[in-house]
Amino acid sequence: MREADEQRWSALMVSAQSGNESDYRQVLGELSDVVQRFLRSRFGNRPIIEDCVQEALIAIHQARHTYNPKRPFRPWLFAIVRNRTIDTLRKQKRRENVAEQFKAEQEVLNQPSGQAAYPHEIADGPLFRSLSDQHREVLVLTKIIGFSIAETAEKLHISESAVKVRVHRAIGKLRKLMKEDEW
């Protein structure tokens, strides 16, 4: 059965490469089911699987000219599926990370200046508690949340130079405290 599928897909792809649209539709239809079963067997029934299948089919479409009928079809197919699935999962993870970062940034931006607008576990650390509010705030915004100097200056209503000076002094203070306490 597996050998027959591979030979049929190879013949359909060669025919599709020659311009036969009905064979191309047939091979894509069959591959869609195969790719979906393959991905579900590895990742379960997750919503992202549909995106991975669609991305894999697009990649197969874009790479159809690279198929060499003298070589086995399955390794060509699954190399494309694997690579495109990895790319799709990475993009999804990046989107999730961006969404989380955006949510954190919005929470910070919605806080009045001077209030502790960062996670309590950071603010409760002995080193951070020993810093002034200004130093703590600028470090959290720039080094922990990841705001740029310009974004931090805008948020705190101070100049970019002032942000740089505060960051420099805060880091110096932390180094001194760590050296004294032998962290």
Side-chain angles (χ1 to χ4, degrees), residues 135 138-139 163-173 175:
H135 288 156
V138 77
L139 275 184
V163 170
K164 291 176 186 177
V165 168
R166 286 184 188 180
V167 167
H168 179 74
R169 288 180 180 165
I171 291 172
K173 174 92 172 169
R175 281 189 183 132

Side-chain angles (χ1 to χ4, degrees), residues 1-34:
M1 179 77 171
R2 187 174 171 159
E3 181 75 24
D5 286 341
E6 183 155 351
Q7 289 175 356
R8 185 176 66 259
W9 294 335
S10 179
L12 289 169
M13 184 57 77
V14 168
S15 177
Q17 286 174 328
S18 299
N20 187 323
E21 290 183 34
S22 65
D23 285 351
Y24 188 54
R25 278 193 299 275
Q26 182 179 346
V27 74
L28 283 182
E30 289 183 28
L31 294 180
S32 175
D33 294 338
V34 169

Side-chain angles (χ1 to χ4, degrees), residues 11 15 21 35 43 47-49 56 79 81 85 88 109 114 118 120 128 134 144 150 154 159 169 172 174 178:
S15 177
E21 290 183 34
V35 169
F43 299 106
I48 188 73
I49 296 302
V81 170
T85 298
T88 303
L109 290 173
Y118 41 86
H120 291 293
F128 271 84
Q134 290 179 341
I144 295 173
E154 184 179 323
S159 70
R169 288 180 180 165
L174 286 175
M178 288 171 48

